[in-house]
Amino acid sequence: MSDTTVAGTNETATAAKSGASATERFRTDKKAGAQADPERVNLLAREVIEAVHDTIRRHKVTYDEYNALKSWLISVGDDGEWPLFLDVWIEHVVEEVATEHREGNKGTIEGPYYVPNSPEQGAKGTLPMRDGESGTPLVWTGKVTSTSGQPLAGAKVEVWHADADGFYSQFAPGIPEWNLRGTFTADENGDFEITTIRPAPYQIPTDGSCGKLIAAAGWHAWRPAHIHVKASADGHELLTAQLYFPGDEHNSDDIASAVKPELILDPKPAGDHETIEYGFVLDPVRAESAA
Ligand code: MBD
Ligand code: FE
């Protein structure tokens, strides 16, 4: 990937690059919104606008505040931080509604840093990483099954996570393409084994517009350490999740509200590494949506 030199600290370059990359990624990968039903648009847009009106009346919002909002909204787009803003403060409720019928594994938000088609690793392997990649090695075993208990041979497990400094390949500059990203294929028993490193707690970029909002409101920018995953198999609903580590102080105040107790791992020390056991139970595609 080629990086434009940005004046200022390395962190400045990183946040600007991450925002622009996330916006570009979304434009390339998602085809949402093309044929929205006008009745839904009318209903939903009207309700959201009316909710803003209610807030303005209830709190007697001033012109200064209105102009501060206008200026901030413009800068979110300039920074490419709409994906970050939406995925941090809105997506968790969309995910909740979208998956409330499920009987299998709990999921959570995708966030802004997924890249499809990461390198294939077979059923057992190590995520692509640099020589001497920092972080405790982690050996993760698991099985993919259907809600009926049937193992799902050939299920895909896509994994991506930040490095020990909280940076994602393909979004932050200076990290090799596909670093800490890979796709595993469960064996004939639905089993997989993934070797990686334990990621660190993570701060969303603080020098862009989302960071300005966080600072102005007196919030914090932390997410707990997490491993992103998508598990999928023919005839089953795609599961998007994140796995967390026990004892992380941000499990209870994640800025993105994406932690669920079912997604917290139980790592066991094993000499120079840790082991984790975590599998996925996928819901069959429902009859009415199968066609
Ligand atoms: C992340 O790594 C993330 O997972 C989310 C949801 C938002 C910002 C950065
Ligand atoms: Fe993340």
Side-chain angles (χ1 to χ4, degrees), residues 113 160 168 202 223 226 228 242:
Y113 301 143
W160 71 105
Y168 283 87
Y202 170 88
R223 297 215 59 222
H226 59 279
H228 292 270
Q242 300 179 34

Side-chain angles (χ1 to χ4, degrees), residues 95 98-108 147 237-240 281-283 286:
E95 192 275 338
T99 62
E100 62 192 359
H101 62 281
R102 286 194 185 165
E103 288 166 10
N105 219 97
K106 284 288 181 202
T108 191
T147 47
E237 292 191 12
L238 168 67
L239 173 72
T240 300
V281 180
L282 304 185
D283 283 70
R286 290 175 292 175

Side-chain angles (χ1 to χ4, degrees), residues 13-285:
T14 298
K17 176 77 184 174
S18 293
S21 301
T23 297
E24 210 32 61
R25 191 83 252 162
F26 182 80
R27 285 192 177 123
T28 312
D29 296 342
K30 314 272 175 184
K31 296 185 180 69
Q35 59 262 55
D37 172 358
E39 271 182 47
R40 285 287 281 182
V41 177
N42 175 37
L43 172 72
L44 301 178
R46 193 157 33 77
E47 268 197 31
V48 170
I49 291 167
E50 284 170 3
V52 174
H53 298 166
D54 286 347
T55 299
I56 294 168
R57 290 199 182 96
R58 197 161 55 244
H59 300 288
K60 301 201 182 303
V61 169
T62 66
Y63 257 101
D64 278 351
E65 289 168 333
Y66 173 66
N67 285 326
L69 171 67
K70 202 164 169 178
S71 155
W72 182 78
L73 289 170
I74 292 167
S75 71
V76 176
D78 290 345
D79 295 348
E81 284 199 346
W82 280 117
L84 182 63
F85 173 82
L86 290 163
D87 295 350
V88 166
W89 284 293
I90 307 294
E91 188 189 353
H92 68 98
V93 187
V94 179
E95 192 275 338
E96 174 190 313
V97 170
T99 62
E100 62 192 359
H101 62 281
R102 286 194 185 165
E103 288 166 10
N105 219 97
K106 284 288 181 202
T108 191
I109 65 175
E110 174 177 319
Y113 301 143
Y114 170 66
V115 184
N117 306 312
S118 60
E120 270 288 348
Q121 313 295 323
K124 178 174 174 168
T126 301
L127 280 187
M129 63 176 80
R130 294 161 287 192
D131 286 345
E133 186 79 43
S134 42
T136 308
L138 206 58
V139 179
W140 165 15
T141 53
K143 188 189 276 295
V144 187
T145 58
S146 186
T147 47
S148 63
Q150 180 206 340
L152 293 171
K156 296 283 177 203
V157 179
E158 295 172 80
V159 176
W160 71 105
H161 65 82
D163 68 12
D165 297 319
F167 294 129
Y168 283 87
S169 61
Q170 268 100 315
F171 294 91
I175 299 177
E177 194 175 37
W178 303 116
N179 203 59
L180 301 174
R181 297 177 182 273
T183 300
F184 296 80
T185 303
D187 68 15
E188 65 278 10
N189 301 312
D191 292 327
F192 61 88
E193 182 185 303
I194 299 168
T195 299
T196 184
I197 52 108
R198 194 203 251 248
Y202 170 88
Q203 256 191 313
I204 71 163
T206 51
D207 59 323
S209 300
C210 291
K212 273 197 197 115
L213 170 62
I214 289 167
W219 302 338
H220 72 73
W222 290 97
R223 297 215 59 222
H226 59 279
I227 296 175
H228 292 270
V229 59
K230 282 183 185 281
S232 56
D234 287 348
H236 290 74
E237 292 191 12
L238 168 67
L239 173 72
T240 300
Q242 300 179 34
L243 303 176
Y244 304 95
F245 296 86
D248 190 311
E249 62 173 309
H250 299 295
N251 283 343
S252 53
D253 69 349
D254 177 13
I255 180 97
S257 309
V259 181
K260 301 178 187 181
E262 298 87 346
L263 299 173
I264 299 179
L265 296 162
D266 182 19
K268 302 266 197 297
D272 63 346
H273 67 281
E274 294 176 310
T275 60
I276 53 182
E277 160 68 40
Y278 195 96
F280 300 103
V281 180
L282 304 185
D283 283 70
V285 172

